[in-house]
Amino acid sequence: MMRASKRAPQRALPAERVKNTARRKKRIHTFKIAIATIVAAAFAILFLLPIVLTITNSFMSSSEISANYGAVFATNDKGGKVFISETINLKFIPDMVSFSQYITVLFKSPEYLLKFWNSAVLVGPIVFFQLFVALLASYGFTRYRGRIREIIFFSYIILMLMPYQVTLVPNYLVAGWFNLIDTYWAIWLPGIFSPFAVFLLTKFMRRIPTSVIEAAQIDGAGEWQIFKRICLPLCKGATCSAAILVFIDYWNMVEQPLILLSDEEKHPLSVFLSKINAGEIGLAFAVATIYMVPSLLVFLYGEEYLVNGITYQGGIKG
């Protein structure tokens, strides 16, 4: 009995060591998570600073903006930039909140609202019809396999890898042959048949289990019913993800309108933001803030769909 009582504390030692090791690992894991959170928060704040600066500076008066940032946009007699010899004062809190910039943009200068409308007219049809074409093409690439179709799909990937600057000259030449220069069709057609949404939706549709489609065929469903009642509901997240990404991409386009639209009255608001001059610094902050609103609303509304569309692997959710 004495020997058994002496051995009991010795048997408890390994259990205590295991507990201490588990606690130590838990503390190390918690410390790593805390460090990663701090680093991620620091980068988030760093990336959000320009947006916060733009929004807060849009509520400054013209005189205050000129006093803070006039040296950045100053020019010499020949129209060139001057050397900035003083430190620029970045202010996040205005001395006095003023809505004069927004009043000028929204009520006194209809030109900015016209360009905002131009942006909506250019981007809306591209998003809608690109998704329409991409859904039909993706279903075709998913349901019917073959060497020719794989070659076509591979060419889609090659076109997607090319930056727009590479295909800008061919697009300009083709638009010139069809007399589409200085018309919205010169921007609509390349955007509608862009390969990005086709690639994304095809990869997503190919993850749908074939057993689901075969079961629908056994029940007598046709191709249109399979597409409408199976593929579209399962691809809702991927479709929303593609819509958000396509909208943000074409909402911020600059090269296409500059090259394909010679009439400045047809230019979107993104082109105006790329042509800021010294006399409109305050208006630029206000216009940039208004310009960010649609993108932020689309992202906030579709954030859940965006995440699900990227992470979801296809199939039926329980």
Side-chain angles (χ1 to χ4, degrees):
M1 296 295 294
M2 294 297 292
R3 292 180 179 179
S5 61
K6 291 181 179 179
R7 291 178 180 177
Q10 295 177 356
R11 292 178 180 177
L13 289 176
E16 293 179 357
R17 291 177 181 176
V18 171
K19 291 181 179 179
N20 293 333
T21 304
R23 291 174 183 174
R24 191 180 301 109
K25 290 182 178 179
K26 186 176 180 180
R27 291 175 183 174
I28 295 174
H29 181 66
T30 304
F31 179 75
K32 290 181 179 179
I33 293 177
I35 294 297
T37 303
I38 293 173
V39 173
F43 277 102
I45 294 173
L46 182 63
F47 285 116
L48 286 175
L49 281 179
I51 298 177
V52 176
L53 183 68
T54 301
I55 296 174
T56 56
N57 284 198
S58 66
F59 294 100
M60 291 183 181
S61 60
S62 301
S63 58
E64 186 176 358
I65 291 176
S66 299
N68 294 327
Y69 309 109
V72 178
F73 300 95
T75 57
N76 52 28
D77 297 336
K78 297 181 179 180
K81 295 294 182 179
V82 298
F83 176 75
I84 302 176
S85 59
E86 57 185 8
T87 303
I88 301 301
N89 184 24
L90 297 178
K91 293 186 62 176
F92 289 91
I93 301 177
D95 296 335
M96 181 180 296
V97 177
S98 174
F99 295 92
S100 59
Q101 312 296 345
Y102 290 98
I103 293 174
T104 302
V105 171
L106 297 176
F107 301 104
K108 296 181 179 180
S109 299
E111 177 185 3
Y112 306 116
L113 294 180
L114 176 62
K115 292 182 178 181
F116 187 90
W117 172 250
N118 289 341
S119 298
V121 170
L122 286 172
V123 177
I126 290 177
V127 175
F128 179 80
F129 287 104
Q130 183 177 145
L131 292 178
F132 178 77
V133 173
L135 285 170
L136 296 177
S138 300
Y139 182 76
F141 284 128
T142 302
R143 292 285 290 123
Y144 303 102
R145 302 290 183 88
R147 180 172 297 179
I148 297 177
R149 291 177 179 84
E150 291 299 328
I151 292 174
I152 296 175
F153 184 71
F154 180 75
S155 65
Y156 262 78
I157 298 176
I158 296 299
L159 290 175
M160 190 184 67
L161 294 176
M162 292 183 180
Y164 184 79
Q165 291 78 6
V166 175
T167 59
L168 184 59
V169 175
N171 285 335
Y172 181 83
L173 295 176
V174 173
W177 291 338
F178 288 99
N179 295 324
L180 298 178
I181 299 296
D182 204 24
T183 64
Y184 289 149
W185 288 102
I187 297 177
W188 283 341
L189 291 179
I192 290 172
F193 296 99
S194 176
F196 171 74
V198 176
F199 172 79
L200 182 65
L201 294 176
T202 300
K203 289 297 183 181
F204 192 89
M205 282 189 185
R206 286 182 176 179
R207 298 191 183 107
I208 298 176
T210 55
S211 59
V212 178
I213 298 177
E214 291 175 355
Q217 289 177 331
I218 293 175
D219 292 338
E223 294 295 340
W224 175 250
Q225 291 177 328
I226 294 173
F227 173 73
K228 181 180 179 181
R229 297 184 179 181
I230 295 179
C231 292
L232 287 184
L234 291 178
C235 293
K236 181 180 179 181
T239 304
C240 293
S241 301
I244 294 171
L245 296 175
V246 171
F247 176 84
I248 294 176
D249 184 23
Y250 284 93
W251 186 256
N252 298 318
M253 62 180 174
V254 176
E255 296 91 347
Q256 298 95 315
L258 284 176
I259 302 300
L260 301 173
L261 298 178
S262 59
D263 188 3
E264 294 185 359
E265 293 184 357
K266 296 181 180 180
H267 284 175
L269 197 57
S270 55
V271 176
F272 165 76
L273 293 177
S274 65
K275 296 180 179 180
I276 300 174
N277 54 57
E280 298 174 332
I281 303 174
L283 295 180
F285 283 116
V287 173
T289 303
I290 296 174
Y291 188 71
M292 287 189 294
V293 170
S295 299
L296 292 176
L297 292 178
V298 169
F299 176 77
L300 294 176
Y301 177 77
E303 180 182 4
E304 182 179 356
Y305 294 108
L306 180 63
V307 175
N308 292 336
I310 295 176
T311 59
Y312 178 49
Q313 297 298 316
I316 298 177
K317 294 183 179 180

